[in-house]
Amino acid sequence: MDDLALDPEAADLRAVADSTARECRAFLTTVTEVASGTNPDAAIPLLLLAVSDVLAVGARLGAIVDVVPTDRFEPDVGPDADVEPLRAALAQVLDGVDEYAEVVDPVLGGEVTASTLSGDLVAIAGSLLQGQRHHDRGHVLEALWWWQFSYLSTWGERAASVLRTLQVLLGHLRLDVDDDVAAEAEYDALQP
């Protein structure tokens, strides 16, 4: 049964949950489509858009008051989804640009570590999917709690790192050209 069905004051939380569920589905759909490899030239821009959108959702979750489910245990939604095939497919699509350097905690120190876009995208997808499974079963508060908690503890940070990396990659792809190609483009642009 829907855990917000009897609470008329919960309409705002219901709206946030439903909006979050839509955005999570869109993110999962885009990541899955990119992983299929059908349009490799669009992979970076599509992922950049999907991660940007889901970070906006996360920001809303971070800005609202802490969501606390009525029950102190997580309802069983079945076994965790196997996301390894998705990670492997993304790694194949992103071969050559998958790994990146990341600052572990920019507030507490400058330690740098290696990370992968495929691993981080799948970590985000796994967290979003867990909340989605609760939402689809009518556990709206549990879904909101899960999305909010995991945004603040893991996927928000992963998504921010992925977003920056994708933006830098896109910049390199679009702006790093041979001098001869750039000179030709400049000449062509200046000719009437």
Side-chain angles (χ1 to χ4, degrees), residues 53-166:
D53 289 346
V54 83
L55 269 170
V57 169
R60 284 192 295 275
L61 292 168
I64 64 174
V65 72
D66 288 347
V67 176
V68 180
T70 51
D71 295 325
R72 293 293 181 194
F73 63 91
E74 183 177 2
D76 184 18
V77 290
D80 290 342
D82 181 12
V83 293
E84 179 54 26
L86 179 62
R87 191 212 53 76
L90 283 168
Q92 186 173 355
V93 169
L94 298 169
D95 187 37
V97 296
D98 195 23
E99 191 168 309
Y100 68 97
E102 176 191 15
V103 176
V104 175
D105 187 328
V107 174
L108 299 179
E111 179 187 351
V112 176
T113 187
S115 195
T116 62
L117 292 169
S118 59
D120 288 345
L121 287 164
V122 168
I124 297 162
S127 291
L128 297 178
L129 187 56
Q130 183 68 8
Q132 190 72 48
R133 293 167 70 197
H134 284 296
H135 184 271
D136 292 348
R137 285 169 177 76
H139 309 143
V140 177
L141 283 177
E142 184 67 33
L144 276 174
W145 177 86
W146 182 260
W147 285 321
Q148 185 182 57
F149 169 77
S150 60
Y151 166 75
L152 294 171
S153 65
T154 56
W155 75 260
E157 182 181 346
R158 298 291 80 226
S161 294
V162 167
L163 180 71
R164 180 162 191 253
T165 303
L166 290 169

Side-chain angles (χ1 to χ4, degrees), residues 22-35:
R22 280 189 302 278
E23 292 297 330
C24 288
R25 276 191 192 91
F27 176 84
L28 295 166
T29 298
T30 299
V31 170
T32 302
E33 287 176 6
V34 167

